[in-house]
Amino acid sequence: MTAGLALDIGSWVLMLAGSFFVFVGGVGALRMPDFYTRMHAASLTDTLGTILILSGVILQAGLTLAAIKLAAIMVFLLLTCPTAAYALANAARLSGLSPRPEQTPGKD
Amino acid sequence: MVVIVFEIFLLTLLVITAVGIVRSRDLFSAVMLLGLFSLQIAVIFFILDAADVALTEAAVGAGVSTVLLLGALALTSDREARPKGRRLLALGVASITALILIYASFDQPRLGDPQAPVHQHVAPWYLEQTPKQIDVPNVVTAILASFRGYDTLGELFVIFTAGIGVLFLLADGSGRGARSQLPSAEAQGLRHHLIPRVVGALLVPFIVLFGLYVQFHGDFGPGGGFQAGALVSAGVILYALIEGEASALRVLSFRALAGMIAAGALLYTGVGLAGILRGSQFLDYSVLLADPIAGQHLGIILIELGVGLTVTGVLLTIFHAFAARAQKR
């Protein structure tokens, strides 16, 4: 009973923290001034947000096959999301977008 | 209740995405939004308990067709041309069609109504007969591969014909497909990008392995030849994007891909003909082995393999044809 309660509290804390980071990432993607800072905010959603939420769901699932599948998804996201972020930033840099905010017009 | 809220949220997002696709003049973002649209509709299918359709939509709609559309985009401009005139006529036709469809939807039964015609027609018979005649846990596979084997054969030949049509349109006419003009130095994909290369090389085997799992586990869980074909070709396309066209063609050459396309269709038809030769009807798997249920299992595995081979071959051929055409320009 108490162990179950502790698991519930832990998973809720993880999921709420994950939701917070997803929310912050969404706000950042809308409000940040230029492409690179926006991307930085959005990558928070991909990595920290999803991983915290998935950890919470794993705690809910317990020692089942579903938990192993969720862990596999988590490893997959941990590998692919930063790679995608790198490829995106790299493509922007190669196509000539400068990372310095003062060179990008502020009113867009 | 929670599910309904979630569904309404997803359907709203779907409408917003659709409007975005129509209004976008930038074809690149339209293609990206199309992928997003497929992903959202796959989630909706999954909520409606249609796991097989959801898997197909995610693999084909969001995965492979996005890559193919990007390949097509490399051949054209990435801005949509301004339409000339006749916009009022188009608006009128679209509005009238929409009104008729909305009017027709009033006659639709409620979602999940057990008295709906779709649940009263042949579905109960399939659900009742699947454990007796075929004995696979996934009824969708039993219907798709055995009860409605003709329909699936038709679908396979639609894909087969589409692949041939694209090859006729895109091949360079030298008679050797598009393989003769592969430049080696420029078309080396992302070779000089270390991070995508390392991560991609790590992922490709797992993607192909998952494709094979979906292929051969289709009797038991969601999956089958169509989804597996899309997944395996997605893995090979990833390899081609990382290591360059030439490396991917060394693994699966144009000749091998053409062989796969033909072999899959021949395998499916051959299993059907084997039914006739053993004294029953076309596509009757029960007579393939002494035990009718084992015969059904064998038949389903073989025709799913045929579907997987043809789908992989067609998707990869189309991808390579687009890529070769883009490099020639």
Side-chain angles (χ1 to χ4, degrees):
Chain A
M1 182 61 201
T2 43
L5 191 67
L7 270 184
D8 266 356
I9 291 174
S11 80
W12 274 105
V13 167
L14 284 172
M15 283 196 274
L16 283 176
S19 311
F20 171 75
F21 280 114
V22 170
F23 182 75
V24 167
V27 171
L30 287 173
R31 302 280 303 161
M32 283 292 189
D34 76 332
F35 174 79
Y36 293 96
T37 44
R38 265 184 224 152
M39 227 195 69
H40 168 70
S43 66
L44 213 69
T45 325
D46 287 344
T47 46
L48 208 52
T50 10
I51 283 161
L52 283 172
I53 291 178
L54 280 177
S55 319
V57 179
I58 287 176
L59 284 189
Q60 284 285 320
L63 273 176
T64 53
L65 186 63
I68 298 170
K69 285 180 183 171
L70 286 167
I73 294 173
M74 212 163 87
V75 172
F76 186 81
L77 285 177
L78 254 182
L79 284 172
T80 51
C81 287
T83 313
Y86 162 80
L88 196 61
N90 193 54
R93 187 80 192 87
L94 283 182
S95 65
L97 189 65
S98 165
R100 278 169 299 232
E102 67 266 20
Q103 294 197 355
T104 51
K107 42 183 192 291
D108 55 298
Chain B
M1 186 59 209
V2 177
V3 173
I4 297 215
V5 172
F6 200 51
E7 267 170 22
I8 290 174
F9 173 70
L10 278 173
L11 283 172
T12 316
L13 268 187
L14 202 67
V15 172
I16 294 172
T17 316
V19 172
I21 294 169
V22 173
R23 289 202 54 85
S24 166
R25 294 254 161 251
D26 182 3
L27 291 180
F28 184 77
S29 53
V31 168
M32 288 300 146
L33 284 173
L34 264 180
L36 201 65
F37 186 87
S38 286
L39 211 59
Q40 286 162 2
I41 213 158
V43 175
I44 292 174
F45 285 152
F46 190 75
I47 292 176
L48 293 173
D49 280 342
D52 286 85
V53 192
L55 189 54
T56 315
E57 183 64 44
V60 176
V64 177
S65 70
T66 306
V67 174
L68 292 183
L69 282 173
L70 286 179
L73 215 55
L75 301 177
T76 59
S77 150
D78 60 354
R79 304 293 300 176
E80 183 181 343
R82 283 250 160 225
K84 301 189 231 4
R86 295 208 175 252
R87 304 193 68 179
L88 276 178
L89 182 67
L91 184 69
V93 171
S95 317
I96 291 171
T97 316
L99 282 179
I100 292 174
L101 284 176
I102 290 170
Y103 177 68
S105 75
F106 294 143
D107 267 352
Q108 252 200 338
R110 270 172 47 86
L111 182 69
D113 181 6
Q115 297 304 316
V118 67
H119 297 307
Q120 293 294 316
H121 186 47
V122 286
W125 189 84
Y126 287 144
L127 288 175
E128 192 187 320
Q129 294 296 317
T130 297
K132 288 184 202 159
Q133 295 192 8
I134 301 176
D135 197 26
V136 294
N138 188 358
V139 183
V140 176
T141 302
I143 294 174
L144 180 133
S146 186
F147 289 127
R148 312 295 299 229
Y150 272 121
D151 298 0
T152 311
L153 183 67
E155 281 173 36
L156 185 67
F157 273 92
V158 167
I159 294 173
F160 182 79
T161 319
I164 293 176
V166 171
L167 272 187
F168 266 123
L169 288 173
L170 290 180
D172 61 349
S174 68
R176 307 301 285 160
R179 72 173 170 179
S180 46
Q181 75 280 355
L182 278 175
S184 50
E186 285 85 1
Q188 288 306 305
L190 296 168
R191 238 184 195 168
H192 51 287
H193 292 289
L194 191 62
I195 297 174
R197 207 181 152 197
V198 170
V199 176
L202 200 67
L203 290 179
V204 168
F206 289 103
I207 295 174
V208 175
L209 185 70
F210 184 62
L212 291 176
Y213 166 79
V214 167
Q215 167 83 53
F216 293 108
H217 202 255
D219 307 2
F220 303 97
F226 291 100
Q227 296 94 327
L231 282 168
V232 171
S233 42
V236 179
I237 288 174
L238 178 62
Y239 183 70
L241 291 177
I242 295 166
E243 296 286 333
E245 284 285 304
S247 310
L249 280 175
R250 264 203 301 282
V251 180
L252 278 173
S253 66
F254 263 105
R255 187 178 289 268
L257 289 174
M260 280 168 72
I261 297 175
L266 280 174
L267 182 62
Y268 201 137
T269 327
V271 172
L273 288 176
I276 295 184
L277 289 179
R278 292 187 64 98
S280 184
Q281 291 157 346
F282 188 61
L283 288 174
D284 182 4
Y285 316 135
S286 301
V287 292
L288 290 179
L289 293 175
D291 178 19
I293 289 185
Q296 288 283 351
H297 288 183
L298 179 70
I300 289 176
I301 284 198
L302 283 178
I303 65 120
E304 290 278 16
L305 187 64
V307 172
L309 279 175
T310 299
V311 170
T312 313
V314 167
L315 288 176
L316 283 177
T317 311
I318 294 176
F319 170 74
H320 285 309
F322 272 128
R325 193 78 176 196
Q327 280 159 15
K328 224 169 68 169
R329 279 156 59 99

